[in-house]
Amino acid sequence: MKVAVLGGAGKVVLGAIQDFIENQSIEQVLLADLNIEALAERKELLNSDKVVIERVDLNHHDALVQLLMQFDVCLNGSSHHFNMKVMRACLDSRTNYTDFGGLFHWAKEQLTMHKEFKKAGITGIVGSGSAPGIVNVMAKYGYEQLDTVKSVHIRDAIVNFAMEENDFIPPYAIETLLDEFMMNPFEFRNGQFIEVSPFSGAETIYFPEPIGTQTVINTIHSEVATIPISFKDKGIQDVTFKLALPKVFEEKLRFLVELGLGSTEEIDVSGSKVVPRQVLAEIVKLKNCGVRNEAKKHDDHKVLRVEIEGEKDGKTAKYIIDTVLSPYEKWPHMSQGVFSVGFPAAVTTRILGSNIIEQKGFFASEQIIPTDIYFAELAKKGILVQTNLIQNIG
């Protein structure tokens, strides 16, 4: 299998690349990015004969098509703002596709490409990291057990005990985080999409250790867009997604957003035009690109929880499905955040490239990924899914 990784110089995609290098089913891994210098540095650090690098501009459709024609499957690790462009290139190159997610609006648009992907004889999946990704397949497991589905509530909480007072370490892409902090989230209530405010719906929950008690808030995410469609046949009425980030980091990012540093509008600075969001992203990259103190271990952790309620055998039932993710000991050079997003995306990419999924078209993860195969692959690197069934609930 040959895999193309777009945005190959990015942060969280490293978790996928490491898996591809170590997996025997992968013959070649293309890392493509606009930043060829960063790609060359990454190739040297990876030290694998499987890896090839190529400079690519995702805005140049024809060149991207020619590049992708050589590969069985594409993992789009670039910004969600490029998802549609990469998908159109995959259509023309007949390359299977997946990505890290499309937030809400992008995911809805991506799902409209189903017929075109089916006609092209390829398969695409939106959202294959941890959330979206793992949580969608967790929800699918509950869906498969229940006769009817009333609600799906997803909670994602992240802590980082290694973060010091002056640190500013995004758990994933800063551009995605800024969109999550600035764009209005959605809930699916009583069968309708409802637009709400950022940071609304605060809910304090006790999660398994080491995460503990965290306050989660509404955040724009693709799961709320896709699950109402995927589970419509069983009567789904309510879907929510709420997130908790490391408290110190969240407070700092809120402050930066309030200052206007998340804006995408140009401003004049001493006669030069700059985009505040681009400046912030560059500063964050420069601040965190230094050599890490090897004596300081990664100590970030995440819990993913899916609560899915409906009916089973004529009785009201709820599945509470949890997985706790921590740094992977065999990859000490990467944080939990990089591992828990990158590695599951690699699993989905390999499933697509292996033709395990026979259906052609474009799907959300919960519509098409086989739960048994997926959970077995996650377990190989210590990601275990715990399920608790409560029946006859009040």
Side-chain angles (χ1 to χ4, degrees):
M1 182 193 319
K2 292 185 177 181
V3 176
V5 181
L6 304 184
K11 178 181 178 180
V12 297
V13 78
L14 181 60
I17 297 167
Q18 190 71 49
D19 175 81
F20 294 147
I21 290 172
E22 296 181 8
N23 195 282
Q24 294 183 354
S25 69
I26 306 298
E27 174 188 348
Q28 187 179 81
V29 184
L30 167 71
L31 305 185
D33 202 291
L34 194 61
N35 189 339
I36 191 66
E37 292 81 9
L39 285 178
E41 182 179 346
R42 174 154 288 180
K43 177 177 170 61
E44 183 178 356
L45 290 172
L46 291 168
N47 191 28
S48 170
D49 293 337
K50 289 185 179 182
V51 175
V52 295
I53 62 173
E54 186 82 28
R55 186 183 184 278
V56 67
D57 186 338
L58 300 183
N59 292 304
H60 293 172
H61 177 80
D62 291 343
L64 183 56
V65 171
Q66 289 298 315
L67 184 64
L68 292 176
M69 280 182 177
Q70 307 166 53
F71 295 89
D72 302 296
V73 58
C74 168
L75 170 58
N76 178 17
S78 69
S79 166
H80 53 275
H81 294 275
F82 286 102
N83 285 358
M84 293 300 295
K85 289 184 177 181
V86 176
M87 285 172 59
R88 292 189 179 98
C90 284
L91 279 172
D92 289 347
S93 66
R94 302 296 193 270
T95 307
N96 296 306
Y97 170 95
T98 193
D99 57 40
F100 287 128
L103 291 186
F104 183 88
H105 304 288
W106 288 267
K108 291 185 73 172
E109 184 179 9
Q110 287 176 260
L111 290 176
T112 65
M113 301 288 282
H114 174 72
K115 289 183 179 179
E116 293 177 70
F117 266 67
K118 185 175 182 178
K119 184 178 179 181
I122 58 175
T123 305
I125 295 176
V126 56
S128 60
S130 61
I134 296 177
V135 293
N136 300 70
V137 187
M138 291 164 68
K140 181 183 181 182
Y141 175 83
Y143 165 89
E144 291 173 337
Q145 309 310 309
L146 294 169
D147 301 320
T148 67
V149 176
K150 177 184 177 182
S151 64
V152 175
H153 299 297
I154 300 171
R155 305 295 180 256
D156 179 352
I158 304 169
V159 296
N160 189 343
F161 301 116
M163 190 178 296
E164 298 178 357
E165 184 178 353
N166 293 325
D167 287 342
F168 187 78
I169 305 172
Y172 44 92
I174 187 66
E175 185 168 344
T176 301
L177 285 161
L178 288 168
D179 279 346
E180 289 178 347
F181 271 50
M182 297 175 66
M183 296 180 69
N184 284 346
F186 286 79
E187 293 184 350
F188 189 68
R189 298 183 200 158
N190 299 316
Q192 301 291 328
F193 288 109
I194 305 297
E195 189 170 2
V196 296
S197 301
F199 313 112
S200 63
E203 180 182 344
T204 301
I205 302 174
Y206 179 76
F207 293 108
E209 294 298 332
I211 288 81
T213 302
Q214 301 293 326
T215 299
V216 295
I217 54 174
N218 279 315
T219 307
I220 189 167
H221 251 242
S222 65
E223 297 92 332
V224 181
T226 66
I227 288 177
I229 298 170
S230 305
F231 296 175
K232 183 179 180 180
D233 64 325
K234 290 193 178 182
I236 187 77
Q237 290 294 302
D238 299 289
V239 182
T240 61
F241 178 93
K242 295 183 181 183
L243 173 70
L245 294 173
K247 187 172 179 58
V248 173
F249 174 82
E250 179 185 323
E251 290 173 347
K252 290 178 179 178
L253 189 56
R254 282 203 198 200
F255 174 71
L256 293 173
V257 167
E258 288 170 2
L259 283 180
L261 286 170
S263 172
T264 58
E265 299 295 326
E266 281 189 350
I267 61 172
D268 186 283
V269 179
S270 300
S272 299
K273 298 291 185 181
V274 298
V275 177
R277 179 177 293 207
Q278 293 177 357
V279 174
L280 177 60
E282 190 65 23
I283 291 171
V284 170
K285 182 172 69 174
L286 291 172
K287 178 176 174 58
N288 293 305
C289 72
V291 178
R292 180 181 174 83
N293 181 358
E294 294 301 327
K296 182 179 176 182
K297 293 184 178 180
H298 291 287
D299 197 10
D300 58 326
H301 308 268
K302 175 191 294 187
V303 63
L304 302 173
R305 170 170 292 177
V306 175
E307 295 186 5
I308 178 167
E309 184 177 334
E311 290 186 354
K312 182 180 177 69
D313 301 325
K315 299 177 181 178
T316 303
K318 176 192 285 187
Y319 280 91
I320 300 176
I321 310 171
D322 281 347
T323 184
V324 176
L325 301 108
S326 296
Y328 183 52
E329 291 183 359
K330 293 184 179 180
W331 295 345
H333 56 294
M334 68 178 71
S335 66
Q336 170 277 135
V338 173
F339 165 67
S340 71
V341 177
F343 168 62
V347 171
T348 297
T349 303
R350 288 192 278 106
I351 287 174
L352 282 170
S354 300
N355 294 316
I356 291 171
I357 297 173
E358 295 182 356
Q359 298 100 311
K360 306 303 178 184
F362 198 86
F363 305 89
S365 297
E366 71 273 8
Q367 294 174 324
I368 197 170
I369 291 180
T371 55
D372 53 348
I373 294 172
Y374 184 81
F375 290 152
E377 285 295 310
L378 293 186
K380 290 178 181 178
K381 288 185 170 56
I383 300 177
L384 304 177
V385 177
Q386 305 292 330
T387 302
N388 180 30
L389 170 62
I390 306 170
Q391 285 191 294
N392 289 323
I393 60 178

